[in-house]
Amino acid sequence: MEFLKDIWNLIKERKKWWLIPAVIVLFLIGALIFLSSGSAVAPFIYTVF
Amino acid sequence: MSWIKTETGKNISVLVFSALISLLFLELFLRFYNPFGFRIKGDKILLYPHKKYVIENSSLKGTDKKIIHSKNSLGLRGEEPPKDFSSRLSVIAVGGSTTEGFYLSDGKTWPEILQNKLKKDFPNIWINNAGIDGQSSYGHIIFTREYLSKLKPKIAIFYCGLNDIGLSAMNSYDSFSKESKIKKAAKFLSKNIEIVSCAFNLYLYFSYKKTGITHGNIDFANIEKIKVSDQEKKEILNSEKQNAKNYSLRLKELIRETRKNGIEPVFIAQTSLCKKAFDLNTKINLGEIAVKNKFLNCEIFGEILNIYNREMEKTAKEEKVFFIDADKIMPSNSSYYYDLFHFNNSGAEVFADKIKTPFIKFLKNKYNN
Protein backbone atom coordinates (compact mmCIF):
# COMPACT_ATOMS: atom_id res chain seq x y z
CA MET A 1 0.00 0.00 0.00
CA GLU A 2 2.94 2.35 0.75
CA PHE A 3 4.12 1.84 -2.79
CA LEU A 4 0.73 2.82 -4.23
CA LYS A 5 0.62 5.88 -1.96
CA ASP A 6 4.08 6.93 -3.19
CA ILE A 7 2.97 6.61 -6.82
CA TRP A 8 -0.17 8.61 -6.12
CA ASN A 9 1.86 11.35 -4.35
CA LEU A 10 4.28 11.49 -7.28
CA ILE A 11 1.42 11.87 -9.77
CA LYS A 12 -0.27 14.52 -7.61
CA GLU A 13 2.81 16.60 -6.82
CA ARG A 14 4.24 16.58 -10.34
CA LYS A 15 0.79 16.76 -11.92
CA LYS A 16 1.53 13.80 -14.19
CA TRP A 17 -2.14 12.86 -14.54
CA TRP A 18 -1.46 11.08 -17.79
CA LEU A 19 0.31 8.39 -15.80
CA ILE A 20 -2.95 7.25 -14.18
CA PRO A 21 -4.15 5.00 -17.07
CA ALA A 22 -0.70 3.44 -17.39
CA VAL A 23 -0.54 2.73 -13.65
CA ILE A 24 -4.06 1.21 -13.69
CA VAL A 25 -3.22 -1.04 -16.66
CA LEU A 26 0.08 -2.15 -15.08
CA PHE A 27 -1.80 -2.88 -11.87
CA LEU A 28 -4.39 -4.94 -13.79
CA ILE A 29 -1.70 -6.92 -15.60
CA GLY A 30 0.10 -7.56 -12.31
CA ALA A 31 -3.17 -8.77 -10.76
CA LEU A 32 -3.81 -11.08 -13.73
CA ILE A 33 -0.36 -12.65 -13.47
CA PHE A 34 -0.72 -13.03 -9.70
CA LEU A 35 -4.18 -14.61 -9.93
CA SER A 36 -3.25 -16.98 -12.72
CA SER A 37 -0.23 -18.30 -10.84
CA GLY A 38 -2.53 -20.12 -8.39
CA SER A 39 -5.93 -21.71 -8.66
CA ALA A 40 -7.62 -18.52 -7.48
CA VAL A 41 -8.48 -17.61 -11.04
CA ALA A 42 -10.32 -20.89 -11.62
CA PRO A 43 -13.77 -19.62 -10.57
CA PHE A 44 -13.69 -17.03 -13.35
CA ILE A 45 -13.51 -19.55 -16.13
CA TYR A 46 -17.16 -20.44 -15.65
CA THR A 47 -19.27 -18.57 -18.07
CA VAL A 48 -22.85 -18.68 -19.13
CA PHE A 49 -24.10 -19.22 -22.62
CA MET B 1 -10.61 23.99 -30.68
CA SER B 2 -8.78 26.80 -28.88
CA TRP B 3 -9.41 25.07 -25.53
CA ILE B 4 -6.79 22.44 -26.49
CA LYS B 5 -4.12 25.11 -26.31
CA THR B 6 -4.98 25.93 -22.70
CA GLU B 7 -3.18 24.16 -19.84
CA THR B 8 -6.29 22.09 -18.94
CA GLY B 9 -6.87 21.21 -22.59
CA LYS B 10 -3.31 19.97 -22.95
CA ASN B 11 -3.61 17.90 -19.78
CA ILE B 12 -6.87 16.31 -20.94
CA SER B 13 -5.44 15.53 -24.38
CA VAL B 14 -2.35 13.88 -22.89
CA LEU B 15 -4.55 11.93 -20.48
CA VAL B 16 -6.80 10.67 -23.29
CA PHE B 17 -3.78 9.74 -25.38
CA SER B 18 -2.21 7.94 -22.43
CA ALA B 19 -5.49 6.07 -21.80
CA LEU B 20 -5.64 4.92 -25.43
CA ILE B 21 -2.01 3.75 -25.40
CA SER B 22 -2.58 1.93 -22.10
CA LEU B 23 -5.71 0.18 -23.44
CA LEU B 24 -3.84 -0.81 -26.57
CA PHE B 25 -1.08 -2.25 -24.42
CA LEU B 26 -3.64 -4.18 -22.32
CA GLU B 27 -5.34 -5.48 -25.47
CA LEU B 28 -1.98 -6.75 -26.82
CA PHE B 29 -1.14 -8.33 -23.48
CA LEU B 30 -4.49 -10.18 -23.33
CA ARG B 31 -4.11 -11.38 -26.91
CA PHE B 32 -0.78 -13.01 -26.07
CA TYR B 33 -1.53 -14.07 -22.52
CA ASN B 34 -5.06 -14.45 -21.22
CA PRO B 35 -5.06 -16.38 -17.95
CA PHE B 36 -8.86 -16.53 -17.68
CA GLY B 37 -9.41 -19.09 -20.40
CA PHE B 38 -12.97 -17.92 -20.96
CA ARG B 39 -15.20 -20.33 -22.84
CA ILE B 40 -17.04 -17.74 -24.93
CA LYS B 41 -15.82 -15.22 -27.46
CA GLY B 42 -18.51 -13.26 -29.24
CA ASP B 43 -21.07 -15.91 -30.08
CA LYS B 44 -18.51 -18.71 -30.33
CA ILE B 45 -17.69 -21.45 -27.85
CA LEU B 46 -13.98 -21.93 -27.26
CA LEU B 47 -12.48 -25.31 -26.46
CA TYR B 48 -8.92 -25.75 -25.21
CA PRO B 49 -7.26 -28.90 -26.60
CA HIS B 50 -4.67 -30.47 -24.26
CA LYS B 51 -5.40 -27.93 -21.53
CA LYS B 52 -4.54 -29.18 -18.05
CA TYR B 53 -5.81 -27.68 -14.80
CA VAL B 54 -4.13 -28.63 -11.53
CA ILE B 55 -6.16 -27.50 -8.53
CA GLU B 56 -5.09 -27.81 -4.91
CA ASN B 57 -8.37 -28.44 -3.14
CA SER B 58 -9.05 -28.31 0.57
CA SER B 59 -12.70 -27.33 0.69
CA LEU B 60 -14.91 -29.37 -1.63
CA LYS B 61 -15.92 -32.49 0.27
CA GLY B 62 -15.65 -35.86 -1.40
CA THR B 63 -13.30 -34.64 -4.13
CA ASP B 64 -9.54 -35.16 -4.51
CA LYS B 65 -7.03 -33.03 -2.63
CA LYS B 66 -5.11 -32.51 -5.82
CA ILE B 67 -7.50 -32.29 -8.75
CA ILE B 68 -6.07 -32.95 -12.20
CA HIS B 69 -8.48 -31.95 -14.93
CA SER B 70 -7.27 -32.47 -18.51
CA LYS B 71 -8.73 -31.95 -21.92
CA ASN B 72 -7.86 -34.24 -24.84
CA SER B 73 -6.97 -33.20 -28.40
CA LEU B 74 -10.64 -32.34 -29.04
CA GLY B 75 -10.76 -30.07 -26.02
CA LEU B 76 -13.08 -32.55 -24.27
CA ARG B 77 -12.59 -34.84 -21.27
CA GLY B 78 -11.92 -38.53 -21.77
CA GLU B 79 -9.97 -40.83 -24.07
CA GLU B 80 -8.54 -39.56 -27.33
CA PRO B 81 -10.81 -40.16 -30.34
CA PRO B 82 -10.02 -43.60 -31.78
CA LYS B 83 -8.61 -44.02 -35.30
CA ASP B 84 -11.59 -46.20 -36.25
CA PHE B 85 -13.99 -43.52 -35.04
CA SER B 86 -16.69 -44.12 -37.65
CA SER B 87 -17.02 -47.79 -36.75
CA ARG B 88 -17.11 -47.17 -32.99
CA LEU B 89 -20.16 -46.58 -30.83
CA SER B 90 -19.25 -42.95 -30.20
CA VAL B 91 -21.09 -40.94 -27.56
CA ILE B 92 -20.64 -37.33 -26.49
CA ALA B 93 -22.11 -36.19 -23.18
CA VAL B 94 -23.15 -32.55 -23.42
CA GLY B 95 -24.15 -30.47 -20.43
CA GLY B 96 -23.13 -27.81 -17.97
CA SER B 97 -21.05 -27.95 -14.81
CA THR B 98 -22.78 -31.08 -13.53
CA THR B 99 -21.50 -32.91 -16.63
CA GLU B 100 -18.07 -31.31 -16.95
CA GLY B 101 -17.22 -31.95 -13.28
CA PHE B 102 -14.56 -29.26 -13.21
CA TYR B 103 -13.53 -30.22 -9.68
CA LEU B 104 -13.44 -33.95 -10.36
CA SER B 105 -10.17 -35.52 -11.44
CA ASP B 106 -9.70 -37.20 -14.79
CA GLY B 107 -11.65 -40.45 -15.07
CA LYS B 108 -13.99 -39.49 -12.23
CA THR B 109 -16.70 -37.58 -14.10
CA TRP B 110 -19.91 -39.50 -14.83
CA PRO B 111 -19.45 -39.78 -18.64
CA GLU B 112 -15.98 -41.29 -18.18
CA ILE B 113 -17.26 -43.68 -15.49
CA LEU B 114 -20.24 -44.59 -17.67
CA GLN B 115 -17.90 -45.54 -20.50
CA ASN B 116 -16.01 -47.94 -18.24
CA LYS B 117 -19.25 -49.45 -16.95
CA LEU B 118 -20.59 -50.00 -20.49
CA LYS B 119 -17.40 -51.53 -21.91
CA LYS B 120 -18.46 -54.99 -20.73
CA ASP B 121 -21.67 -54.90 -22.81
CA PHE B 122 -20.35 -52.65 -25.59
CA PRO B 123 -16.59 -53.15 -26.04
CA ASN B 124 -16.45 -50.65 -28.92
CA ILE B 125 -18.03 -47.78 -26.97
CA TRP B 126 -16.22 -44.45 -26.72
CA ILE B 127 -17.61 -41.66 -24.56
CA ASN B 128 -16.25 -38.14 -24.20
CA ASN B 129 -17.35 -35.47 -21.77
CA ALA B 130 -18.22 -32.17 -23.48
CA GLY B 131 -19.70 -30.48 -20.41
CA ILE B 132 -19.02 -26.76 -20.19
CA ASP B 133 -19.60 -24.96 -16.94
CA GLY B 134 -22.67 -22.71 -17.02
CA GLN B 135 -23.81 -23.80 -20.45
CA SER B 136 -27.57 -23.78 -21.05
CA SER B 137 -29.47 -25.56 -23.82
CA TYR B 138 -28.85 -22.50 -26.01
CA GLY B 139 -25.11 -23.14 -25.63
CA HIS B 140 -25.76 -26.81 -26.45
CA ILE B 141 -27.34 -25.75 -29.76
CA ILE B 142 -24.27 -23.63 -30.61
CA PHE B 143 -21.99 -26.47 -29.51
CA THR B 144 -23.88 -28.93 -31.70
CA ARG B 145 -23.61 -26.61 -34.72
CA GLU B 146 -19.95 -25.77 -34.18
CA TYR B 147 -18.46 -29.04 -32.96
CA LEU B 148 -20.79 -32.04 -32.97
CA SER B 149 -21.81 -31.48 -36.59
CA LYS B 150 -18.14 -31.93 -37.56
CA LEU B 151 -17.28 -34.74 -35.15
CA LYS B 152 -20.50 -36.67 -35.89
CA PRO B 153 -20.71 -39.05 -32.93
CA LYS B 154 -23.49 -41.63 -33.10
CA ILE B 155 -25.15 -40.42 -29.92
CA ALA B 156 -25.26 -37.13 -28.00
CA ILE B 157 -26.46 -37.27 -24.40
CA PHE B 158 -27.87 -33.96 -23.17
CA TYR B 159 -27.97 -33.60 -19.40
CA CYS B 160 -29.51 -30.20 -18.86
CA GLY B 161 -32.17 -28.07 -17.21
CA LEU B 162 -30.43 -26.35 -14.32
CA ASN B 163 -28.73 -23.61 -16.36
CA ASP B 164 -31.95 -22.91 -18.22
CA ILE B 165 -33.83 -21.89 -15.12
CA GLY B 166 -34.84 -18.24 -15.34
CA LEU B 167 -33.67 -17.97 -18.93
CA SER B 168 -36.63 -16.05 -20.26
CA ALA B 169 -34.99 -15.23 -23.56
CA MET B 170 -33.17 -17.39 -26.07
CA ASN B 171 -29.74 -16.81 -24.57
CA SER B 172 -27.64 -14.69 -22.24
CA TYR B 173 -27.12 -12.01 -24.83
CA ASP B 174 -30.87 -11.68 -25.25
CA SER B 175 -31.41 -11.31 -21.56
CA PHE B 176 -28.43 -8.95 -21.42
CA SER B 177 -30.11 -6.56 -23.79
CA LYS B 178 -33.43 -6.52 -25.57
CA GLU B 179 -32.14 -4.05 -28.16
CA SER B 180 -30.93 -6.12 -31.06
CA LYS B 181 -28.53 -3.38 -32.22
CA ILE B 182 -26.85 -3.26 -28.82
CA LYS B 183 -26.83 -7.05 -28.79
CA LYS B 184 -25.17 -7.16 -32.18
CA ALA B 185 -22.62 -4.52 -31.17
CA ALA B 186 -21.84 -6.42 -27.96
CA LYS B 187 -21.31 -9.63 -29.91
CA PHE B 188 -19.12 -7.90 -32.50
CA LEU B 189 -16.95 -6.11 -29.93
CA SER B 190 -16.71 -9.19 -27.75
CA LYS B 191 -15.63 -11.26 -30.75
CA ASN B 192 -12.95 -8.83 -31.91
CA ILE B 193 -11.67 -6.99 -28.85
CA GLU B 194 -10.10 -9.02 -26.08
CA ILE B 195 -10.74 -6.41 -23.37
CA VAL B 196 -14.46 -6.32 -24.23
CA SER B 197 -14.57 -10.12 -24.35
CA CYS B 198 -13.01 -10.30 -20.86
CA ALA B 199 -15.34 -7.63 -19.49
CA PHE B 200 -18.38 -9.35 -20.98
CA ASN B 201 -17.38 -12.76 -19.68
CA LEU B 202 -16.83 -11.31 -16.22
CA TYR B 203 -20.23 -9.62 -16.43
CA LEU B 204 -21.82 -12.97 -17.32
CA TYR B 205 -19.91 -14.70 -14.55
CA PHE B 206 -21.09 -12.29 -11.86
CA SER B 207 -24.66 -12.34 -13.23
CA TYR B 208 -24.56 -16.11 -13.06
CA LYS B 209 -23.13 -16.05 -9.55
CA LYS B 210 -26.26 -14.22 -8.41
CA THR B 211 -28.31 -17.29 -9.25
CA GLY B 212 -26.49 -19.13 -6.47
CA ILE B 213 -25.84 -22.25 -8.53
CA THR B 214 -22.08 -21.84 -8.89
CA HIS B 215 -19.68 -24.21 -7.12
CA GLY B 216 -19.24 -24.17 -3.36
CA ASN B 217 -19.11 -26.41 -0.37
CA ILE B 218 -22.28 -26.76 1.64
CA ASP B 219 -21.99 -26.85 5.40
CA PHE B 220 -24.94 -28.84 6.68
CA ALA B 221 -24.07 -28.01 10.29
CA ASN B 222 -24.72 -24.29 9.69
CA ILE B 223 -27.33 -24.40 7.01
CA GLU B 224 -29.43 -21.31 6.36
CA LYS B 225 -33.16 -21.98 6.12
CA ILE B 226 -35.87 -19.91 4.51
CA LYS B 227 -39.65 -20.04 4.31
CA VAL B 228 -41.45 -18.62 1.28
CA SER B 229 -45.12 -17.62 1.39
CA ASP B 230 -47.66 -19.42 -0.78
CA GLN B 231 -48.33 -16.24 -2.75
CA GLU B 232 -44.61 -15.74 -3.55
CA LYS B 233 -44.32 -19.40 -4.46
CA LYS B 234 -47.27 -19.16 -6.84
CA GLU B 235 -45.82 -16.08 -8.57
CA ILE B 236 -42.38 -17.65 -8.96
CA LEU B 237 -43.76 -20.89 -10.37
CA ASN B 238 -46.04 -19.06 -12.81
CA SER B 239 -43.20 -16.97 -14.24
CA GLU B 240 -41.05 -20.07 -14.66
CA LYS B 241 -43.78 -21.91 -16.55
CA GLN B 242 -43.41 -19.48 -19.45
CA ASN B 243 -39.59 -19.78 -19.33
CA ALA B 244 -39.97 -23.55 -19.46
CA LYS B 245 -41.99 -23.26 -22.69
CA ASN B 246 -38.99 -21.48 -24.26
CA TYR B 247 -36.79 -24.28 -22.92
CA SER B 248 -38.94 -26.75 -24.81
CA LEU B 249 -38.42 -24.75 -28.03
CA ARG B 250 -34.65 -24.87 -27.51
CA LEU B 251 -34.80 -28.63 -26.91
CA LYS B 252 -36.71 -29.08 -30.17
CA GLU B 253 -34.06 -27.04 -31.96
CA LEU B 254 -31.41 -29.24 -30.38
CA ILE B 255 -33.18 -32.36 -31.64
CA ARG B 256 -33.38 -30.89 -35.17
CA GLU B 257 -29.69 -29.95 -35.15
CA THR B 258 -28.47 -33.33 -33.92
CA ARG B 259 -30.70 -35.46 -36.18
CA LYS B 260 -29.83 -33.29 -39.18
CA ASN B 261 -26.22 -34.37 -38.60
CA GLY B 262 -27.04 -38.06 -38.14
CA ILE B 263 -26.62 -37.90 -34.35
CA GLU B 264 -29.25 -39.48 -32.11
CA PRO B 265 -30.02 -37.31 -29.07
CA VAL B 266 -30.68 -38.74 -25.61
CA PHE B 267 -32.12 -36.53 -22.88
CA ILE B 268 -31.39 -36.82 -19.19
CA ALA B 269 -33.44 -34.70 -16.79
CA GLN B 270 -31.40 -32.84 -14.21
CA THR B 271 -31.16 -33.96 -10.60
CA SER B 272 -30.09 -32.04 -7.51
CA LEU B 273 -30.47 -32.03 -3.75
CA CYS B 274 -33.17 -29.39 -4.14
CA LYS B 275 -36.43 -31.13 -3.41
CA LYS B 276 -39.03 -31.67 -0.74
CA ALA B 277 -37.26 -34.55 0.97
CA PHE B 278 -35.12 -35.46 3.95
CA ASP B 279 -31.42 -35.91 3.32
CA LEU B 280 -30.56 -39.60 3.70
CA ASN B 281 -27.16 -38.60 5.07
CA THR B 282 -27.85 -35.81 7.60
CA LYS B 283 -31.66 -36.26 7.99
CA ILE B 284 -32.04 -32.50 7.37
CA ASN B 285 -35.19 -31.26 5.63
CA LEU B 286 -33.67 -30.32 2.27
CA GLY B 287 -36.74 -28.32 1.24
CA GLU B 288 -36.02 -25.56 3.77
CA ILE B 289 -32.46 -24.82 2.64
CA ALA B 290 -31.98 -21.33 1.20
CA VAL B 291 -30.82 -21.10 -2.42
CA LYS B 292 -30.48 -18.46 -5.12
CA ASN B 293 -28.89 -15.91 -2.79
CA LYS B 294 -31.46 -16.68 -0.10
CA PHE B 295 -34.36 -15.65 -2.31
CA LEU B 296 -35.76 -19.14 -2.68
CA ASN B 297 -35.73 -22.35 -0.73
CA CYS B 298 -34.83 -25.78 -2.01
CA GLU B 299 -38.42 -26.99 -2.11
CA ILE B 300 -39.45 -24.26 -4.58
CA PHE B 301 -36.22 -24.52 -6.54
CA GLY B 302 -36.86 -28.25 -6.83
CA GLU B 303 -40.40 -27.55 -8.08
CA ILE B 304 -39.03 -25.13 -10.68
CA LEU B 305 -36.49 -27.70 -11.83
CA ASN B 306 -39.31 -30.23 -12.02
CA ILE B 307 -41.25 -27.90 -14.38
CA TYR B 308 -38.22 -27.91 -16.72
CA ASN B 309 -37.78 -31.65 -16.36
CA ARG B 310 -41.42 -32.25 -17.27
CA GLU B 311 -41.01 -30.03 -20.34
CA MET B 312 -38.03 -32.15 -21.32
CA GLU B 313 -40.01 -35.36 -20.80
CA LYS B 314 -42.91 -34.01 -22.87
CA THR B 315 -40.61 -32.87 -25.68
CA ALA B 316 -38.77 -36.18 -25.66
CA LYS B 317 -42.06 -38.05 -25.93
CA GLU B 318 -43.30 -35.88 -28.81
CA GLU B 319 -40.04 -36.16 -30.74
CA LYS B 320 -39.39 -39.81 -29.84
CA VAL B 321 -36.14 -39.07 -28.03
CA PHE B 322 -34.92 -41.52 -25.39
CA PHE B 323 -35.42 -39.94 -21.98
CA ILE B 324 -33.99 -40.75 -18.55
CA ASP B 325 -35.38 -39.01 -15.49
CA ALA B 326 -32.28 -38.81 -13.31
CA ASP B 327 -34.14 -36.83 -10.67
CA LYS B 328 -36.36 -39.84 -10.00
CA ILE B 329 -33.58 -42.40 -9.84
CA MET B 330 -30.92 -40.47 -7.88
CA PRO B 331 -31.29 -40.74 -4.09
CA SER B 332 -31.49 -37.53 -2.04
CA ASN B 333 -28.20 -38.06 -0.30
CA SER B 334 -25.85 -35.17 0.47
CA SER B 335 -22.86 -37.51 0.64
CA TYR B 336 -22.98 -37.64 -3.18
CA TYR B 337 -22.65 -33.87 -3.61
CA TYR B 338 -20.24 -31.14 -2.51
CA ASP B 339 -22.98 -28.54 -2.84
CA LEU B 340 -26.66 -28.67 -3.74
CA PHE B 341 -26.07 -29.43 -7.42
CA HIS B 342 -22.59 -30.81 -8.18
CA PHE B 343 -21.56 -34.42 -7.73
CA ASN B 344 -18.45 -35.35 -5.81
CA ASN B 345 -16.44 -38.48 -6.64
CA SER B 346 -18.93 -40.94 -5.18
CA GLY B 347 -21.92 -38.99 -6.58
CA ALA B 348 -20.57 -39.23 -10.13
CA GLU B 349 -20.03 -42.96 -9.61
CA VAL B 350 -23.60 -43.49 -8.33
CA PHE B 351 -25.06 -41.31 -11.09
CA ALA B 352 -23.26 -43.29 -13.81
CA ASP B 353 -24.44 -46.49 -12.19
CA LYS B 354 -28.07 -45.31 -12.05
CA ILE B 355 -28.26 -44.21 -15.68
CA LYS B 356 -26.33 -47.24 -16.94
CA THR B 357 -29.30 -49.64 -16.93
CA PRO B 358 -31.76 -47.49 -18.93
CA PHE B 359 -28.96 -46.43 -21.28
CA ILE B 360 -28.02 -50.06 -21.98
CA LYS B 361 -31.69 -50.72 -22.75
CA PHE B 362 -31.67 -47.85 -25.24
CA LEU B 363 -28.41 -48.98 -26.87
CA LYS B 364 -29.63 -52.56 -27.21
CA ASN B 365 -32.89 -51.43 -28.81
CA LYS B 366 -31.20 -48.97 -31.11
CA TYR B 367 -28.16 -50.97 -32.17
CA ASN B 368 -29.65 -54.44 -31.72
CA ASN B 369 -26.62 -55.54 -29.74
Side-chain angles (χ1 to χ4, degrees), chain B residues 74-94:
Chain B
L74 298 171
L76 311 177
R77 299 193 75 175
E79 289 174 8
E80 284 294 327
K83 283 179 183 158
D84 56 342
F85 188 84
S86 58
S87 62
R88 297 282 289 270
L89 181 50
S90 49
V91 183
I92 299 286
V94 183

Side-chain angles (χ1 to χ4, degrees), chain B residues 226-234 236 294-298 300:
Chain B
I226 188 170
K227 284 207 187 310
V228 179
S229 71
D230 287 346
Q231 183 58 31
E232 281 175 305
K233 183 179 165 180
K234 204 177 157 188
I236 293 164
K294 298 155 201 164
F295 177 60
L296 287 180
N297 64 27
C298 251
I300 299 174

